[in-house]
Amino acid sequence: MLEQVKYFEDFVIGEGRQTVGRTITETDFVVHAGHSGDFFPHHLDAEFCKTLPFGQRIAHGTMVFTIGVGLTATIINPVAFSYGYDRLRFVKPVFIGDTIRSRVEIIATEPMEKRPGFGRVTERLTVTNQHGDTVLVADHIYMVERRP
Amino acid sequence: MLEQVKYFEDFVIGEGRQTVGRTITETDFVVHAGHSGDFFPHHLDAEFCKTLPFGQRIAHGTMVFTIGVGLTATIINPVAFSYGYDRLRFVKPVFIGDTIRSRVEIIATEPMEKRPGFGRVTERLTVTNQHGDTVLVADHIYMVERRP
Amino acid sequence: MLEQVKYFEDFVIGEGRQTVGRTITETDFVVHAGHSGDFFPHHLDAEFCKTLPFGQRIAHGTMVFTIGVGLTATIINPVAFSYGYDRLRFVKPVFIGDTIRSRVEIIATEPMEKRPGFGRVTERLTVTNQHGDTVLVADHIYMVERRP
Amino acid sequence: MLEQVKYFEDFVIGEGRQTVGRTITETDFVVHAGHSGDFFPHHLDAEFCKTLPFGQRIAHGTMVFTIGVGLTATIINPVAFSYGYDRLRFVKPVFIGDTIRSRVEIIATEPMEKRPGFGRVTERLTVTNQHGDTVLVADHIYMVERRP
Amino acid sequence: MLEQVKYFEDFVIGEGRQTVGRTITETDFVVHAGHSGDFFPHHLDAEFCKTLPFGQRIAHGTMVFTIGVGLTATIINPVAFSYGYDRLRFVKPVFIGDTIRSRVEIIATEPMEKRPGFGRVTERLTVTNQHGDTVLVADHIYMVERRP
Amino acid sequence: MLEQVKYFEDFVIGEGRQTVGRTITETDFVVHAGHSGDFFPHHLDAEFCKTLPFGQRIAHGTMVFTIGVGLTATIINPVAFSYGYDRLRFVKPVFIGDTIRSRVEIIATEPMEKRPGFGRVTERLTVTNQHGDTVLVADHIYMVERRP
């Protein structure tokens, strides 16, 4: 993990980076159920899932989001604060054995009128699988200090 | 877990329910770090956190979201599909030992023009702590089958 | 999770319910070993198990019991208290990949002479696999408040 | 772990052993909830538990049983097979921070008439806490091969 | 677990023992990543690993060491203290599904001149897989009390 | 996580870096016991530990090593391969609540005569706690490709 101070003025639209990949395992499914308390059979009952269109267990949306975001957690910016996410969408299902990676890209920057000294930076998160298909998107909103 | 078929026409704006509570433990912090791969010191380094404004470790946003959503996972509606979330906001920090509970309430229903046979239902999720403070909000969007 | 007050007088012999299913994964085997501290090779050593009659790893009895009971934990009855279990039997082995579900049925109710104000309710737990075979049975004994 | 062949004829009523101790942590509570799927607030919601007679979170019965049994899993007897348990009783609650240990003692041996070549051995399991109070008892029934 | 007092003078060069086996599962890989914080794609990204010489995910060295040592943890010697390890070597990779077991053997004993009352005992740890290949070796150094 | 190709010739004696910190929690103790299978009361029985010189539970040596190494796992060098460790020493105990961080520093580089095209690089790992005390040291040996 690296620390890197990056002020509002340092963010450039179009800048981005790609993470390493991670294979989503049956273990992740079971851990996420136990962590979230969501034991819906869509995620945990292989027999039931044979009767559904996808024919197999489907990852919790909150897990794809959690791991997709987690993959990006490699650089600490001490002057940026997570504010929330807009337009989080579960685009395609993730199955046991899929390998996902995340791409983040700055898509908007604007001063915060109500919060002088801060700017609002929007970073698009795109999670893809091993086929190159997008499985999840979300727009991460940061409050970032302006350069002093 | 109960199964309950609820068609688009059955959703009524203002309807809602409150979940039981769950105390967020140091264990949940450590499990979430290990599950997400996010080991930022804001969540895991008690010494470092003493130097921050909050003075203590702060829950991962993705964890409050995951557990907040998980608390609501008690009734399976086989004709509703999760589409995504809008306006997910981390309103206040969650600390080790806080007890959270979730409230969901239907705030909008509209037919989906591009997808005949389906309607769009928006359910607001509000996660509160033991002081009654809201710590997270998000609008959950479902695609729900229309009554046949 | 729902809360539902059900007094001793409300229990009817023959009443029951069936839970959703859950696939027992290799992850559950490893988690249970780590949780219980029981690392017997019957549960964890695939090579050793090839030399046994079943030819594969066998679930811990305590795990089938724990998950079989856990599947039923969906309705809180604030006037019932778990007293213990009788005749817990490991009827058939559970293997990695089996999907279990639980059925509970009230099989006996009787006043508790030594504890006025309470009755004793016996609920039979039957855990089955995806072939419909019973893998575990146990009689759960509750102390339940009488209707005031 | 040791392997020790012990035939039906080798079991002597009154023989027993005491295990080492293990402190039951908040982690064990959270792990057991996630493993079993039982997220009842009696085990996980510290605020709710303040309103109950015990005033604090109470261990799952299945966890005390699982760990109590797990503590005894140190000697493999290849000619003994677990058949089940009788009279499993949750005698006293276990709280976060309690230290439990198990004692096992042979209390009965009898030939199995329906299964020539095997005997039935009953081993009483007694789990105690750091105050010496019994928190759980159960009678473990084994089928054991007779000496050839 | 057994307790067995064994003084410096009781250790005999060449003495040793073999543990039971344990199959290393995908779960262990995921748990170790989450426990250590090491999410390198060599351990977790099946697609990336297809491009490497071994063609599949490789166990963390610290995991093979941890589980290899853990397998030996069956006898408590209250007069011996772990001092460290010399010549820890990752001899061959461990893959998902491999079954490992450990062998320990006393290879050296010598009085500690600087610490009267103690001797230094070196125990060689050899971890092998199901093919009999050595995957890890290390020399465990103990400080052991001399017989009083 | 970053990828950075660094050939044998690029390593400079004295170069090093410091990681972020991580608080070692009771959860880590319990997870490590369950992962390693080592349930010695020195790590898990708070009552027993009151009778020992340190008066409290002590971290597994393999855990301090695993997490200490894990903290350094932030930069992938595709031309370096872990060969093993020398002089791994458990210098001081780690207790629940301690915060550790790791420092790595190159202490030796030498060509490998038996393996042309590779050099041997030794990186000293020093793990310290929140008091600045060293708790673990080890010399990590890498085989690194020479610049082509």
Side-chain angles (χ1 to χ4, degrees), chain A residues 13-90:
Chain A
I13 289 176
E15 264 188 357
R17 61 196 170 87
Q18 175 87 15
T19 71
V20 296
R22 178 167 159 195
T23 300
I24 303 301
T25 65
E26 192 180 60
T27 302
D28 296 302
F29 276 56
V30 173
V31 167
H32 196 79
H35 182 45
S36 68
D38 176 347
F39 285 77
F40 270 24
H42 311 72
H43 313 304
L44 293 183
D45 181 342
E47 297 295 323
F48 168 74
C49 289
K50 287 179 187 165
T51 69
L52 298 185
F54 292 121
Q56 57 179 305
R57 287 165 283 175
I58 298 168
H60 298 74
T62 48
M63 179 168 80
V64 181
F65 181 59
T66 292
I67 295 180
V69 170
L71 281 167
T72 72
T74 51
I75 303 165
I76 300 171
N77 182 0
V79 297
F81 308 94
S82 181
Y83 184 78
Y85 286 84
D86 276 347
R87 282 176 290 281
L88 165 58
R89 295 292 179 272
F90 306 123

Side-chain angles (χ1 to χ4, degrees), chain C residues 1-73:
Chain C
M1 227 168 314
L2 303 177
E3 184 172 309
Q4 194 173 26
V5 172
K6 201 167 172 182
Y7 289 106
F8 174 67
E9 288 78 4
D10 302 329
F11 285 87
V12 177
I13 289 176
E15 266 188 353
R17 61 197 170 87
Q18 176 87 12
T19 71
V20 295
R22 177 167 160 194
T23 300
I24 302 302
T25 65
E26 192 180 60
T27 303
D28 296 301
F29 276 57
V30 174
V31 167
H32 197 78
H35 181 46
S36 68
D38 176 348
F39 285 78
F40 270 24
H42 311 72
H43 312 303
L44 293 182
D45 181 341
E47 298 295 323
F48 167 74
C49 288
K50 287 179 187 164
T51 70
L52 297 186
F54 294 120
Q56 56 179 306
R57 287 165 283 175
I58 297 168
H60 297 75
T62 48
M63 179 169 79
V64 182
F65 181 58
T66 292
I67 294 180
V69 170
L71 281 167
T72 71

